[in-house]
Amino acid sequence: MITLYGVAISNYYNKVKFALMEKDIAFIEEFTPPSQSEELLLRSPLGKVPFIKTSDGYLSESQAILEYLEDAFPEHPLYPADAYERGKCREFIQHLELNVELIARRLYGEFLFGNTVSAETKDEVRAKLDTGLKGLAKLLKLSPYALGDRFSTADIVAWPHLQLVGFATQNIYGENLVNTHIPGIEAYIQLIESRPHAQIVGADRAKALEAFFRNK
């Protein structure tokens, strides 16, 4: 039994949860906010979430967790079998997380926590997001899934990240930059949201966000 630690407002937590469900791996969830407590640091070196508990010990960093799940539970594979296509899947994920989501995260302080992000930062982030999303569009196939005709880890990662980036840019700029730069992305998001497990993850995220904003 896997234990998943974290918070359901996190897109990184939700990609791991989505993968666990799609791979039909038994797991339980334990609400755990990030912390610098000694107890948490023993399980996650930087006090970050998500992390998981396995029969062999704890494992942190969401992408490392996804690759562990693929190796340890080969049933219901979420990575392509072909080495090149598997590499393209990893390329897509790295590009999305480093050149899009990590950039957009600089907006979350205002979008989620009510802090003020400077106009200079917003301008810088927008320019980098324009570049990153244009690059991502070149990797996406949307035929109908992110990288072709088979649902994969690329979709597991893309769905929560692109939704949050879209929400954030709509809130900050009055324009959903994901929709602007990636034609067809709205239909793709709807396709992923039609999956039963995505609906469960999305509903749990919505409840967590409602509680988060209520308690701010």
Side-chain angles (χ1 to χ4, degrees):
M1 175 73 73
I2 299 289
T3 302
L4 172 61
Y5 300 85
V7 291
I9 65 171
S10 163
N11 43 339
Y12 287 87
Y13 178 90
N14 287 323
K15 79 175 191 180
V16 173
K17 180 176 177 178
F18 195 6
L20 284 162
M21 298 178 76
E22 287 287 335
K23 288 182 70 64
D24 197 24
I25 300 170
F27 72 101
I28 58 174
E29 297 177 79
E30 185 168 316
F31 174 77
T32 308
S35 166
Q36 291 300 297
S37 70
E38 287 300 321
E39 180 185 4
L40 188 61
L41 291 171
L42 289 173
R43 298 181 289 172
S44 176
L46 296 180
K48 295 166 58 178
V49 295
F51 62 93
I52 63 171
K53 182 180 180 181
T54 77
S55 58
D56 296 310
Y58 293 97
L59 184 63
S60 62
E61 296 297 337
S62 62
Q63 201 53 40
I65 294 170
L66 290 192
E67 301 223 4
Y68 162 80
L69 295 176
E70 189 74 0
D71 292 339
F73 302 90
E75 302 83 4
H76 311 294
L78 290 175
Y79 278 91
D82 177 79
Y84 176 74
E85 294 303 326
R86 186 177 288 240
K88 293 296 291 183
C89 186
R90 290 181 173 129
E91 174 193 33
F92 172 82
I93 292 168
Q94 186 164 6
H95 180 80
L96 171 58
E97 295 199 332
L98 292 181
N99 300 320
V100 177
E101 199 284 330
L102 185 63
I103 303 300
R105 202 180 305 175
R106 298 175 66 190
L107 304 174
Y108 297 171
E110 182 169 322
F111 166 56
L112 290 174
F113 304 110
N115 302 324
T116 299
V117 175
S118 70
E120 181 182 19
T121 296
K122 289 177 184 177
D123 290 344
E124 179 184 348
V125 167
R126 174 151 192 165
K128 290 183 176 179
L129 281 177
D130 287 340
T131 299
L133 286 166
K134 287 176 183 176
L136 191 71
K138 295 175 182 178
L139 295 174
L140 278 164
K141 295 182 179 178
L142 303 183
S143 58
Y145 296 109
L147 299 182
D149 60 2
R150 180 174 175 176
F151 181 83
S152 72
T153 303
D155 303 291
I156 292 282
V157 177
W159 175 63
H161 283 336
L162 292 179
Q163 276 198 320
L164 189 56
V165 172
F167 292 155
T169 55
Q170 182 67 51
N171 182 275
I172 298 296
Y173 304 115
E175 179 183 0
N176 185 322
L177 296 182
V178 175
N179 292 351
T180 296
H181 290 297
I182 307 177
I185 198 65
E186 292 175 90
Y188 167 76
I189 293 292
Q190 291 175 3
L191 172 66
I192 303 303
E193 287 181 335
S194 71
R195 299 180 76 85
H197 294 147
Q199 292 173 16
I200 294 170
V201 173
D204 289 346
R205 177 185 57 194
K207 291 177 185 176
L209 281 169
E210 181 181 0
F212 173 81
F213 286 117
R214 186 171 60 244
N215 295 324
K216 280 180 62 177

